Amino acid sequence: MERIEHRACFGGWQDVYRHRSEALRCDMNVGVYLPPQAAHGPCPALYWLSGLTCTEQNFITKAGAQRYAAEHGLILVAPDTSPRGDDVADAEGYDLGKGAGFYVNATQAPWAERYRMYDYIVDELPAWIEANFPATGARAISGHSMGGHGALTIALRNPGRYRSVSAFSPIVAPTQVPWGEKAFAAYLGDDREAWKQYDAVELVGSAKEKLPLLVDQGDADEFLETQLRPRLLEAACEAAGHPLTLRMQPGYDHSYYFISSFIGEHIAWHAAAMK
Amino acid sequence: MERIEHRACFGGWQDVYRHRSEALRCDMNVGVYLPPQAAHGPCPALYWLSGLTCTEQNFITKAGAQRYAAEHGLILVAPDTSPRGDDVADAEGYDLGKGAGFYVNATQAPWAERYRMYDYIVDELPAWIEANFPATGARAISGHSMGGHGALTIALRNPGRYRSVSAFSPIVAPTQVPWGEKAFAAYLGDDREAWKQYDAVELVGSAKEKLPLLVDQGDADEFLETQLRPRLLEAACEAAGHPLTLRMQPGYDHSYYFISSFIGEHIAWHAAAMK
């Protein structure tokens, strides 16, 4: 592993590391914010999964999250959104291939070889964090859009692994919307049954742990009705008796201006859960 | 004028406008953050001048300033750093021409025709803001690097126009450092006497108003000794009896991670001065 950025920020350090991923068979960049408290002892960690087109940079430069992480003593871990490198399969368009890993383990050629973001996020990344940084092992997970989908599905499928989960403008039902249908057909093939393991609305009924879901959604989001459809999650949670706080935020869109406005409340929620 | 971005942020609106500048003879983008309080009555305004290579986007996407502006009820005005357009003179390199206006009125060809950022910032921009937005007319000014130079020199030359001034990592003595020497030779010609009107260290001795200067400077800034040299400002202020608070911030560099860490304190300072 190599530290490629190291910047003082709110009394702690916003770093970027490049490390070798065995799951993805490539080098990956990861943003790691170490709050001031990490100089004195281990801290809990919040994993942030970004959306389509993003790298590890978007969240660390635009969300303004470091202030709140410093206040609550949380490590922030911001991975990239797909495998990277000249020899990694890619496609035309922003919504498939690089920058669009969708947090699944692909089973179809040419993706299956390296597009294993589910394994990377669930197993390899936290193991690497906990081996190399002053992390307590208490974990929370959040994300935006495609990354909100990732956070919800990963938390629902892995009881006991996360103390808390939240999402901004998540793709709650990828099997029912164009972004998800395109990506899942490519990564997972034509069998729609295989898609359901990566769909929060499908998973919530069978979740073994009733981890409360916190979801913020802007009501002026340009993708609200076509790609995000949070009411499907609301209905599924109601049917399953799964606790959900869905906050429709008036006037807000899909951008990091929205995330920055509410990330402080999410970090406070995760910090309380990891206390 | 045309509104080209409109995004809810911390209960207010982060907008970007394109308007015609007579001083620069081109269309200019300006970031305008309207805090929630601006929906109910006029608010004071903080003008932010960005550094080399920046547009109106850097500050509004990376500084995390909207949170504090919403808290204190300040309008944030973030202009671009030079005239723009295909027919605007430019040069090789990031430190002259577009993105490098240095907040001067150029006198030399080919720059003199449009590189009049001093007039734009001092007169045209605040007149446009106060004619089109709910601004009280109370003004503060701040900036980063080249923009810190702009904020200090403009405040020092215009007594009574600003209630307060601050800077992050400013170029305090452009007549004595490579960035300033290159830009001033091009924009202002060979007569170094003419350069002094745009040099904070030169101006502080003759300032007609003892407006206190607040300067934050990271001690790990890669440009500290070659381009910024804050101790020259400290010495000039001491000689002139001009109030200066120079804070050397340990470990911080020249990036927006540094700005984001202390912009809250600057905004509180400006808000108090404009009450």
Side-chain angles (χ1 to χ4, degrees):
Chain A
M1 61 189 265
E2 179 193 2
R3 191 172 71 189
I4 57 178
E5 291 187 34
H6 182 54
R7 299 170 186 282
C9 188
F10 283 101
W13 294 96
Q14 180 60 62
D15 294 338
V16 177
Y17 285 84
R18 184 172 290 141
H19 76 128
R20 181 73 190 172
S21 165
E22 298 306 322
L24 307 174
R25 301 181 53 212
C26 66
D27 290 344
M28 291 292 284
N29 287 359
V30 188
V32 179
Y33 179 69
L34 296 171
Q37 296 87 340
H40 309 292
C43 297
L46 171 62
Y47 292 78
W48 174 268
L49 305 185
S50 286
L52 288 166
T53 77
C54 289
T55 69
E56 85 287 352
Q57 289 291 320
N58 300 66
F59 181 71
I60 69 177
T61 59
K62 293 185 174 183
Q66 295 92 348
R67 175 191 167 142
Y68 311 102
E71 188 181 326
H72 293 285
L74 296 198
I75 297 170
L76 301 176
V77 183
D80 203 345
T81 56
S82 75
R84 298 283 181 180
D86 292 342
D87 56 346
V88 168
D90 202 1
E92 294 291 311
Y94 69 95
D95 52 1
L96 185 66
K98 291 182 194 173
F102 266 88
Y103 307 102
V104 304
N105 290 333
T107 58
Q108 307 297 305
W111 313 104
E113 191 187 11
R114 285 202 169 103
Y115 281 74
R116 302 186 64 81
M117 287 295 290
Y118 181 85
D119 280 356
Y120 176 65
I121 298 296
V122 172
D123 293 319
E124 188 176 18
L125 182 63
W128 176 77
I129 287 288
E130 288 158 26
N132 291 288
F133 299 91
T136 59
R139 301 177 206 105
I141 193 164
S142 185
H144 174 233
S145 194
M146 176 182 76
H149 142 74
L152 294 174
T153 54
I154 285 171
L156 288 166
R157 287 179 60 172
N158 293 278
R161 186 169 286 262
Y162 300 94
R163 302 279 181 86
S164 52
V165 57
S166 75
F168 290 80
S169 344
I171 306 169
V172 301
T175 65
Q176 299 185 51
V177 302
W179 276 340
E181 290 179 313
K182 176 177 175 178
F184 285 10
Y187 295 144
L188 306 174
D190 293 335
D191 176 11
R192 283 180 171 250
E193 276 305 306
W195 297 9
K196 293 184 177 175
Q197 63 185 310
Y198 297 114
D199 182 301
V201 163
E202 294 288 340
L203 290 167
V204 81
S206 57
K208 293 202 175 65
E209 182 189 35
K210 298 287 188 194
L211 199 63
L213 313 180
L214 170 62
V215 174
D216 269 321
Q217 172 64 58
D219 76 359
D221 188 319
E222 55 272 42
F223 303 112
L224 178 59
E225 296 304 333
T226 50
Q227 306 282 8
L228 307 176
R229 304 183 65 186
R231 298 300 177 195
L232 295 176
L233 183 65
E234 190 172 51
C237 285
E238 200 172 301
H242 196 109
L244 165 70
T245 304
L246 170 61
R247 310 193 302 185
M248 297 301 294
Q249 301 287 5
Y252 287 86
D253 68 7
H254 201 66
S255 72
Y256 267 86
Y257 293 111
F258 167 53
I259 297 169
S260 73
S261 300
F262 298 100
I263 191 70
E265 294 176 27
H266 285 238
I267 286 178
W269 148 285
H270 292 296
M274 290 193 286
K275 266 241 169 79
Chain B
M1 61 189 265
E2 180 193 3
R3 191 172 71 189
I4 58 178
E5 291 187 33
H6 182 56
R7 299 171 185 282
C9 189
F10 283 101
W13 294 95
Q14 179 60 62
D15 294 337
V16 177
Y17 285 85
R18 183 171 292 141
H19 75 128
R20 182 71 190 176
S21 164
E22 297 307 323
L24 307 174
R25 300 180 52 213
C26 67
D27 289 343
M28 292 291 284
N29 287 358
V30 188
V32 179
Y33 178 68
L34 296 172
Q37 297 86 342
H40 309 293
C43 296
L46 171 62
Y47 292 79
W48 173 269
L49 306 184
S50 287
L52 287 165
T53 78
C54 289
T55 69
E56 84 288 351
Q57 289 291 319
N58 301 65
F59 181 72
I60 68 177
T61 59
K62 294 185 172 182
Q66 294 93 350
R67 176 191 167 142
Y68 311 101
E71 188 181 328
H72 293 285
L74 297 197
I75 296 169
L76 301 176
V77 183
D80 203 344
T81 57
S82 74
R84 297 285 180 178
D86 292 343
D87 56 345
V88 169
D90 202 1
E92 294 291 311
Y94 69 95
D95 52 1
L96 186 65
K98 291 181 193 175
F102 266 87
Y103 306 103
V104 303
N105 290 333
T107 57
Q108 307 296 305
W111 313 105
E113 191 186 10
R114 285 204 170 102
Y115 280 74
R116 302 187 63 81
M117 287 296 290
Y118 181 86
D119 281 354
Y120 175 66
I121 299 296
V122 172
D123 293 318
E124 188 176 17
L125 182 62
W128 177 76
I129 288 288
E130 288 158 26
N132 291 287
F133 299 91
T136 61
R139 303 177 204 103
I141 191 164
S142 186
H144 175 234
S145 196
M146 176 183 77
H149 142 74
L152 294 173
T153 54
I154 284 171
L156 288 166
R157 287 178 61 170
N158 292 278
R161 187 169 286 260
Y162 301 94
R163 301 278 182 88
S164 52
V165 57
S166 75
F168 291 79
S169 343
I171 307 168
V172 302
T175 66
Q176 300 185 51
V177 302
W179 277 340
E181 290 178 314
K182 176 177 175 179
F184 286 9
Y187 295 144
L188 305 173
D190 293 334
D191 176 12
R192 284 179 171 251
E193 277 304 306
W195 298 8
K196 293 183 177 176
Q197 62 184 313
Y198 297 113
D199 181 303
V201 164
E202 294 288 341
L203 290 168
V204 82
S206 56
K208 292 203 175 62
E209 182 190 35
K210 297 289 187 194
L211 198 64
L213 312 180
L214 170 62
V215 174
D216 269 322
Q217 172 65 58
D219 77 359
D221 188 319
E222 54 272 42
F223 303 111
L224 178 59
E225 296 304 334
T226 49
Q227 307 280 8
L228 307 176
R229 304 182 65 187
R231 296 301 177 196
L232 295 176
L233 182 65
E234 190 172 51
C237 285
E238 200 172 301
H242 197 109
L244 165 71
T245 303
L246 170 62
R247 311 192 303 186
M248 297 300 294
Q249 301 288 4
Y252 286 86
D253 68 7
H254 201 65
S255 71
Y256 267 86
Y257 293 112
F258 167 53
I259 296 169
S260 73
S261 300
F262 298 100
I263 191 71
E265 294 176 27
H266 284 238
I267 286 177
W269 147 286
H270 291 297
M274 290 193 286
K275 267 241 168 75

